[in-house]
Amino acid sequence: MTAPAHRLSVAPMMDWTDRHCRAFHRALTKRALLYTEMVTAEAVLHGDRERLLGFDAMEHPVALQLGGSEPAKLAQAARIGADRGYDEINLNVGCPSDRVQSGRFGACLMREPTLVADCMAAMGAAVDVPVTVKCRIGVDDQDPEVALFDLVDACAAAGVKTFVVHARKAWLQGLSPKENRDVPPLDYGLVRLLKAERPGLTICLNGGVQSLEAALEHLAPGADAVTLDGVMLGRAAYHEPALLGSADREVFGQPTADVDAFEAVERHKSYLAARLAEGVPLAAMSRHMLGVMHGRPGARAFRRILTVEAIRAGAGLEVVDRALDAVREAEARRAA
């Protein structure tokens, strides 16, 4: 049975999906599953755990994504994450950056399905929450139909039930991490084939999904009679977060009113105020809100005010209010 939250999730994105980003996304959707940025097992074991793993209870359901390739260390890190209250522990088998490759984790692990399965078995034995895999369909000259199925089958034999598949290869030689997000062609059909041939597994699609409407199309039964279990949104959810405001109704079938951009920001103010009182700079939080007015009159003024004024010493909620007022005034002018 699919965990309901997996129907829609927001991808783990380095430098983006920190706790302040997740808190803002939670003001828009109560049901979508949120993910941390990737945190290496080494960092969890030896770093500042509150900074790396701290989160607000209102973020649930929230998953911790780990990076690494040493089963014992991943098991320890997973246990620490589960003890802190994360609802799921996910292993990154998809990141193509040079730094990740040099550490022998991320997408290069697509070449080592047995090692990944060992990592997942160790993590699964260490925690009571689900352990999941986020992967690519292959790397470099691998045959995706072989590489993806080998990885999934090895991990499934180790007890993994849920896989999030970024439907692109990663080219570890010749393409930058940024190019790897766009250049390799998408193969949604292969992800659907995986679900068709492994119907007992929870299979979620990631990659190139630009809107909630597109997510709903992927979640609908296809002509092949296959129904995917979930869709993960990445940059679309970050750059245009307001699209999450209708997710609880449209994706999860909840009898709730949609949350518009203004309501989301108003909801988020209590979180901002609490963090400001702790000494968190406004700019560290407001940067995740820049796209929420996308497509509305005054969106550019909203972004400018938050970008320019939030970095000033002592900047507080009054900056957010000015940004909101700029949008209201622009919309009033448009309506006049």
Side-chain angles (χ1 to χ4, degrees), residues 165-229:
V165 184
H166 186 154
R168 285 187 174 95
K169 267 190 176 184
W171 287 96
L172 303 181
Q173 305 296 325
L175 290 181
S176 69
K178 181 177 185 299
E179 289 169 329
N180 262 303
R181 292 195 295 266
D182 295 303
V183 173
L186 288 158
D187 189 350
Y188 294 142
L190 182 58
V191 182
R192 299 184 70 83
L193 179 64
L194 176 66
K195 177 61 183 178
E197 298 198 4
R198 305 291 185 271
L201 299 176
T202 296
I203 305 297
C204 306
L205 176 74
N206 173 230
V209 183
Q210 299 296 328
S211 66
L212 205 59
E213 292 72 22
L216 288 166
E217 289 178 10
H218 285 298
L219 288 169
D224 52 9
V226 170
T227 302
L228 294 171
D229 299 293

Side-chain angles (χ1 to χ4, degrees), residues 24-323:
F24 182 51
H25 286 172
R26 190 54 78 213
L28 286 149
T29 169
K30 300 300 183 189
R31 298 295 300 275
L33 177 61
L34 305 180
Y35 281 79
T36 67
E37 303 168 89
M38 183 189 69
V39 185
T40 67
E42 287 282 353
V44 171
L45 297 183
H46 305 296
D48 180 343
R49 290 180 189 167
E50 180 55 31
R51 181 180 64 82
L52 294 167
L53 301 180
F55 69 96
D56 193 290
M58 54 94 109
E59 293 177 39
H60 290 294
V62 58
L64 168 64
Q65 187 183 64
L66 294 175
S69 59
E70 297 178 66
K73 290 182 178 180
L74 283 166
Q76 285 181 269
R79 188 179 303 114
I80 291 166
D83 287 347
R84 280 185 164 256
Y86 281 97
D87 300 294
E88 172 186 315
I89 311 295
N90 178 266
L91 182 64
N92 183 319
V93 190
C95 182
S97 77
D98 294 337
R99 182 174 65 84
V100 167
Q101 290 180 61
S102 66
R104 200 187 176 200
F105 55 93
C108 63
L109 288 175
M110 292 294 300
R111 297 194 186 103
E112 301 187 73
T114 301
L115 174 59
V116 176
D118 289 344
C119 291
M120 299 309 298
M123 291 164 62
V127 302
D128 293 327
V129 298
V131 293
T132 66
V133 170
K134 184 174 188 292
C135 64
R136 293 280 181 137
I137 60 173
V139 295
D140 296 335
D141 57 357
Q142 284 186 314
D143 178 344
E145 193 165 337
V146 174
L148 177 61
F149 278 74
D150 282 353
L151 182 82
V152 168
D153 287 345
C155 291
V160 180
K161 302 294 186 187
T162 299
F163 298 84
V164 181
V165 184
H166 186 154
R168 285 187 174 95
K169 267 190 176 184
W171 287 96
L172 303 181
Q173 305 296 325
L175 290 181
S176 69
K178 181 177 185 299
E179 289 169 329
N180 262 303
R181 292 195 295 266
D182 295 303
V183 173
L186 288 158
D187 189 350
Y188 294 142
L190 182 58
V191 182
R192 299 184 70 83
L193 179 64
L194 176 66
K195 177 61 183 178
E197 298 198 4
R198 305 291 185 271
L201 299 176
T202 296
I203 305 297
C204 306
L205 176 74
N206 173 230
V209 183
Q210 299 296 328
S211 66
L212 205 59
E213 292 72 22
L216 288 166
E217 289 178 10
H218 285 298
L219 288 169
D224 52 9
V226 170
T227 302
L228 294 171
D229 299 293
V231 173
M232 177 179 276
L233 295 175
R235 286 167 289 165
Y238 189 86
H239 291 308
E240 300 179 35
L243 65 83
L244 295 172
S246 61
D248 290 355
R249 176 181 58 82
E250 292 195 60
V251 178
F252 294 97
Q254 296 297 294
T256 55
D258 294 351
V259 181
D260 77 1
F262 286 102
E263 183 182 351
V265 175
E266 292 293 342
R267 285 183 178 186
H268 193 47
K269 280 184 183 178
S270 60
Y271 176 88
L272 297 174
R275 300 293 84 75
L276 286 166
E278 295 170 354
V280 177
L282 179 63
M285 301 180 283
S286 61
R287 70 188 183 98
H288 302 300
M289 301 161 55
L290 296 179
V292 74
M293 296 294 173
H294 177 82
R296 301 180 82 130
R300 183 176 298 176
F302 179 86
R303 293 193 301 270
R304 184 181 66 251
I305 291 168
L306 288 186
T307 301
V308 174
E309 297 188 24
I311 62 174
R312 294 175 182 165
L317 293 182
E318 73 283 349
V319 174
V320 177
D321 289 335
R322 279 198 292 276

Side-chain angles (χ1 to χ4, degrees), residues 317-335:
L317 293 182
E318 73 283 349
V319 174
V320 177
D321 289 335
R322 279 198 292 276
L324 289 173
D325 287 343
V327 180
R328 292 189 181 101
E329 291 165 8
E331 291 191 336
R333 288 194 298 273
R334 173 75 61 88

